[in-house]
Amino acid sequence: MRYRKATLRMYWDGNKEPCVEVPIGDFFGSGLGTLRYFHSIAMDVNPGFSGFDFDAMVSYLPMPFAKGARIRWKTTAT
């Protein structure tokens, strides 16, 4: 469930409120908290480098901003 305890927030063009606010697992297709490795045209989730304790999560989705973007990651896990 660790992927449900981190929130991804994206702000476009100086907005004060996030334009995207979603648990990181939901954003990368692991909404039930179980990470599944997959590759698609828009997303990639893979086991990362051998010997390291992390997974690689990549989004190829276009970002709809004109002047700037701010992306925040907030973890609520203790």
Side-chain angles (χ1 to χ4, degrees), residues 44-71:
D44 186 21
V45 178
N46 62 68
F49 294 109
S50 178
F52 293 97
D53 185 28
F54 70 88
D55 301 301
M57 299 177 185
V58 181
S59 169
Y60 301 104
L61 295 172
M63 304 274 184
F65 62 89
K67 295 182 181 180
R70 182 170 48 117
I71 299 175

Side-chain angles (χ1 to χ4, degrees), residues 3-44:
Y3 299 106
R4 300 292 317 246
K5 295 184 178 185
T7 303
L8 181 66
R9 292 187 178 115
M10 299 181 200
Y11 304 80
W12 312 139
D13 298 324
N15 286 350
K16 300 290 185 205
E17 297 297 318
C19 300
V20 175
E21 184 172 11
V22 62
I24 197 75
D26 292 19
F27 185 79
F28 285 103
S30 300
L32 298 176
T34 303
L35 190 64
R36 301 283 186 230
Y37 300 133
F38 69 93
H39 177 75
S40 72
I41 201 164
M43 298 279 183
D44 186 21

